Amino acid sequence: PAKVEEFDGVDFVLVTHIAQDHVGQAMEVLGRSKATLICDVATRFAALAAGITPDRIFQMISGVRFAFNGLLVKALAAEHLSFQKLGENAYISAPPLSYLVTTPGGIRLFFGGDTSISANHQLFGRLYKPHVAVLGVGGVEMNG
């Protein structure tokens, strides 16, 4: 596993949703760096509570595109549900996201986050033609 200090020079931290296995050590990385957080609305609230200043948080919703020095990040829908406890009696939740990241050189990377398979993946492939797709292959099996 990588150590938090290995990410001190990053420019951006992208979080798809508030679930702890996706937030991970993002707040520590942000606390040690000058990176901008790109995230869903629930993760924004958690970042503010962790002391990350609002000017370093770019809140996304599906369909929004963020451009910074030639890097493009487009938030896309994901089929998932997540929530996190914030404080003593509060829970926060927001629609999860997938991201399409386009580098200044034109390479398109699709990151699915946590999402169920849906027709959106076929649509995203046709519309955005990503060069690379990062998709989860695990899952949870439940017995009744």
Side-chain angles (χ1 to χ4, degrees), residues 81-126:
L81 175 66
S82 71
F83 58 90
Q84 184 66 258
K85 190 170 184 176
L86 183 66
E88 187 74 20
N89 298 309
Y91 285 87
I92 54 176
S93 180
L97 302 171
S98 294
Y99 293 115
L100 178 71
V101 178
T102 305
T103 69
I107 302 297
R108 291 177 302 280
L109 168 75
F110 174 75
F111 181 73
D114 267 354
T115 187
S116 298
I117 294 173
S118 73
N120 281 342
H121 294 109
Q122 186 177 33
L123 178 63
F124 295 161
R126 287 181 179 162

Side-chain angles (χ1 to χ4, degrees), residues 27-139:
M27 301 310 161
E28 289 179 61
V29 170
L30 289 159
R32 294 178 54 93
S33 70
K34 295 180 180 172
T36 297
L37 173 63
I38 299 173
C39 63
D40 64 293
V41 65
T43 303
R44 176 183 183 274
F45 285 117
L48 290 169
I52 308 304
T53 57
D55 61 306
R56 294 181 49 213
I57 304 170
F58 194 87
Q59 173 186 315
M60 303 285 274
I61 58 172
S62 181
V64 170
R65 188 171 83 164
F66 171 73
F68 185 81
N69 291 339
L71 183 75
L72 301 174
V73 179
K74 183 172 182 78
L76 299 167
E79 300 291 329
H80 188 60
L81 175 66
S82 71
F83 58 90
Q84 184 66 258
K85 190 170 184 176
L86 183 66
E88 187 74 20
N89 298 309
Y91 285 87
I92 54 176
S93 180
L97 302 171
S98 294
Y99 293 115
L100 178 71
V101 178
T102 305
T103 69
I107 302 297
R108 291 177 302 280
L109 168 75
F110 174 75
F111 181 73
D114 267 354
T115 187
S116 298
I117 294 173
S118 73
N120 281 342
H121 294 109
Q122 186 177 33
L123 178 63
F124 295 161
R126 287 181 179 162
L127 285 176
Y128 305 116
K129 298 179 177 25
H131 297 98
V132 176
V134 179
L135 301 169
V137 295

